[in-house]
């Protein structure tokens, strides 16, 4: 069982920054790919960024150059640094961990960007 707890969401003006954190329980963190996904009202959940156990990263085109995903294996935490935020970034942001011992999701943290 893995528990994922997101934090760092909030209300920010367009052009501002936020850093999301996701703290993971368990002993498999360093072996797992970690991801940040987001779901805007009325839309499907979509990928924002992922980072593999080896540190390779992948970003959605919509966030490239503005968001940075990173991880601290000593602390079992994955981060999402979000800069130059836009109103269209408004969504609930979810943390995901896989594949050991399974596929787990956090409860999400709300990010609201005002224009």
């Amino acid at each position: 069982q893995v528990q994922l707890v997101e934090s760092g969401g909030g209300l920010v003006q367009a052009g501002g920054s936020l850093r999301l954190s996701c703290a993971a329980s368990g002993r498999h963190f360093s072996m797992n790919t970690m991801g940040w996904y987001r779901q805007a009202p009325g839309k499907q959940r979509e990928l924002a960024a992922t980072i593999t156990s080896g540190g390779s990263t992948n970003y959605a085109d919509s966030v490239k150059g503005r968001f940075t995903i990173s991880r601290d294996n000593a602390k079992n935490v994955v981060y999402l640094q979000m800069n130059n935020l836009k109103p269209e970034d408004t969504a609930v942001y979810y943390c995901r961990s896989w594949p050991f011992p399974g596929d787990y999701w956090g409860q999400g943290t709300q990010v609201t960007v005002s224009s």
Side-chain angles (χ1 to χ4, degrees), residues 58-72:
N58 181 52
Y59 297 93
D61 287 343
S62 58
V63 308
K64 277 181 184 176
R66 300 187 298 121
F67 291 11
T68 302
I69 189 170
S70 62
R71 64 191 298 159
D72 185 336

Side-chain angles (χ1 to χ4, degrees), residues 1-2 11-12 16 18 30 37 39 47 59-63 73 82 85 89 91 94 101 105 111 115:
Q1 189 83 4
V2 173
L11 174 64
V12 64
L18 284 174
S30 64
Y37 291 72
Q39 187 167 17
L47 168 74
Y59 297 93
D61 287 343
S62 58
V63 308
N73 289 338
M82 306 186 294
L85 283 160
D89 295 317
Y94 297 91
W105 293 81
V111 171
S115 57

Side-chain angles (χ1 to χ4, degrees), residues 91-104:
V92 177
Y93 284 71
Y94 297 91
C95 179
R96 181 188 179 194
S97 170
W98 78 98
F100 305 106
D103 193 338
Y104 292 90

Side-chain angles (χ1 to χ4, degrees), residues 24-99:
S25 66
R27 57 186 178 87
H28 298 94
F29 181 83
S30 64
M31 302 164 59
N32 278 334
T33 295
M34 301 298 296
W36 286 99
Y37 291 72
R38 64 186 186 180
Q39 187 167 17
K43 295 188 177 181
Q44 290 189 329
R45 192 172 297 188
E46 65 178 11
L47 168 74
T50 62
I51 184 167
T52 68
S53 58
S56 297
T57 58
N58 181 52
Y59 297 93
D61 287 343
S62 58
V63 308
K64 277 181 184 176
R66 300 187 298 121
F67 291 11
T68 302
I69 189 170
S70 62
R71 64 191 298 159
D72 185 336
N73 289 338
K75 296 181 178 180
N76 279 21
V77 178
V78 62
Y79 303 99
L80 186 67
Q81 177 67 43
M82 306 186 294
N83 298 328
N84 190 22
L85 283 160
K86 303 176 180 181
E88 51 264 43
D89 295 317
T90 295
V92 177
Y93 284 71
Y94 297 91
C95 179
R96 181 188 179 194
S97 170
W98 78 98

